[in-house]
Amino acid sequence: MHTPREVWAARPDARLILVLSSERSGSTLLRVMLGGHSRIVAPQELFLLRYPDFDTWRARKSVAMESLLELFDLLGHEQTEEGITSSCRGMPMVDVYKWIFEFLPAAAVLLDKTPAYANDVGTLDRSRGLTPFYVWLVRHPLGVIDSHVRVKERERQRRPLPGRMLRPLRDAIERLTDGLPALARKREAKWVLQNSNVRDFLRQVPAEQQAKVHFEQLVQNPEAVVRELCAAIGFEPEPQMVRPETRQTMNPNLGDPNFHLHGAIDVQPAASWTARYSETQLRPETLALMQELGIQSRRASGARHHAA
Ligand code: A3P
């Protein structure tokens, strides 16, 4: 239990919440839910921490300027691309965050959810000086793999026919030789890498500065998850957090391209992968990490979940 003195939000330097996850873990949903809080400002993916300074971010991730402009829009501050660039040119990234914090109302915090932060520990290390609250969002690896493969398949449908025709055959051969199509296997490896990076990094972070959220629990019992998360951060939960605006269209480079297809918080994605995959297809290291992270195995609880 946290005492009021210990909670992160009581710190004078509490200005940033970082949501860390693998892509396709429900991070856009969690961002929109937390952004429903009157003290949390939550634009699309900022990607800032991926880069050591503003100039590199500007050159290498120009699409993310849209998220920064959205942030100022949410804050009700008029800002232009040129204005931001002239203010931040030459700044190390930590100073860019400090510059942004100056625009936040006194009690407000910035929420930055960018799954790519989990790709390497160097990116995570860059956040230390900002004393953020870290929300680690985890999802069953097969939920992530299934979602990723469906997004890629939809992209393939838009490609010319000749390249597309051989794909089902290649998938079947890969499934026979390696238990999973190569695309899914690659995504499994990324899930392991990203979640291992976050685990290793958060081991060095004080307990009162972090919380773990399971995607499956978030969609099955949003009220309880939001209540617990807000208590860990040090905020009072607000009712609109569990009634997110789900019809928003996201820039596919900055969030979930299918987000608007859900009419509300939808429980179905928690287990939809079970129709297409089985945990016996996962590598031993993935199963071991699942267990370490407290992700419920369907092998142990299959009957109960099928009945639900
Ligand atoms: P799929 O729709 O492909 O299953 P991320 O935002 O991290 O990329 O995660 C995307 C996933 O979040 C979606 O992948 C879906 O499973 C889940 N998601 C998005 N909106 C949701 C909603 N309103 N309710 C439940 N799950 C949602």
Side-chain angles (χ1 to χ4, degrees):
M1 278 296 286
H2 295 268
T3 66
R5 220 162 47 84
E6 280 175 327
V7 289
W8 173 82
R11 296 174 62 128
D13 55 351
R15 311 270 34 212
L16 177 67
I17 297 173
L18 285 179
V19 174
L20 305 176
S21 71
S22 193
E23 293 85 356
R24 318 304 307 160
S25 296
S27 59
T28 309
L29 176 64
L30 182 60
R31 169 177 74 77
V32 172
M33 289 174 74
L34 291 176
H37 196 285
S38 56
R39 292 179 61 185
I40 300 178
V41 190
Q44 296 182 84
E45 293 172 20
L46 286 163
F47 283 90
L48 291 168
L49 277 180
R50 283 289 282 157
Y51 304 97
D53 51 60
F54 179 83
D55 298 353
T56 315
W57 173 80
R58 197 70 196 98
R60 307 248 301 267
K61 200 70 193 177
S62 55
V63 65
M65 178 55 87
E66 181 180 320
S67 307
L68 205 43
L69 289 168
E70 184 190 344
L71 165 65
F72 283 105
D73 199 40
L74 290 168
L75 290 171
H77 275 284
E78 277 226 8
Q79 268 292 5
T80 60
E81 200 168 323
E82 295 71 32
I84 293 171
T85 304
S86 78
S87 298
C88 297
R89 192 175 288 123
M91 271 190 194
M93 203 47 92
V94 167
D95 291 350
V96 175
Y97 278 92
K98 290 182 178 163
W99 176 78
I100 293 171
F101 297 161
E102 286 171 17
F103 293 90
L104 296 176
V109 300
L110 167 67
L111 183 138
D112 178 358
K113 90 88 180 161
T114 304
Y117 291 167
N119 290 352
D120 65 276
V121 178
T123 295
L124 298 171
D125 274 337
R126 210 169 278 133
S127 68
R128 280 184 200 280
L130 297 165
T131 55
F133 188 92
Y134 298 93
V135 181
W136 183 10
L137 173 66
V138 292
R139 182 180 187 180
H140 193 291
L142 284 168
V144 169
I145 290 168
D146 183 35
S147 175
H148 175 76
V149 169
R150 280 186 286 109
V151 168
K152 291 291 167 199
E153 273 167 3
R154 245 171 267 141
E155 283 174 15
R156 272 191 204 132
Q157 293 306 317
R158 294 193 280 272
R159 289 200 197 134
L161 199 58
R164 256 200 276 149
M165 273 167 57
L166 289 177
R167 173 49 62 179
L169 182 64
R170 271 177 52 187
D171 280 357
I173 293 169
E174 288 162 2
R175 203 181 279 268
L176 272 176
T177 52
D178 193 29
L180 272 179
L183 177 65
R185 193 60 87 197
K186 207 165 147 209
R187 194 62 189 81
E188 177 188 9
K190 190 175 182 192
W191 181 92
V192 170
L193 174 79
Q194 292 176 311
N195 282 293
S196 302
N197 284 341
V198 177
R199 174 203 57 196
D200 294 347
F201 174 76
L202 290 181
R203 276 187 184 142
Q204 319 295 323
V205 170
E208 65 273 14
Q209 240 179 289
Q210 56 175 294
K212 175 138 62 69
V213 169
H214 288 263
F215 169 75
E216 292 76 10
Q217 290 167 11
L218 179 73
V219 294
Q220 281 160 355
N221 198 350
E223 284 84 4
V225 172
V226 162
R227 204 180 320 117
E228 217 172 292
L229 184 54
C230 282
I233 296 171
F235 282 174
E236 278 298 316
E238 294 179 358
Q240 62 276 20
M241 298 175 82
V242 291
R243 291 194 294 274
E245 190 52 67
T246 57
R247 290 299 185 196
Q248 301 178 52
T249 308
M250 302 295 158
N251 180 326
N253 298 305
L254 303 170
D256 175 10
N258 304 318
F259 188 73
H260 61 287
L261 301 178
H262 301 269
I265 299 175
D266 186 0
V267 74
Q268 189 251 347
S272 51
W273 60 265
T274 54
R276 289 170 287 277
Y277 297 94
S278 144
E279 283 170 8
T280 56
Q281 294 169 288
L282 293 172
R283 294 224 192 276
E285 61 267 31
T286 312
L287 293 167
L289 186 56
M290 267 178 64
Q291 194 175 18
E292 189 185 335
L293 304 188
I295 295 175
Q296 204 167 25
S297 165
R298 295 279 157 168
R299 283 192 288 187
S301 60
R304 189 150 46 86
H305 282 281
H306 282 302

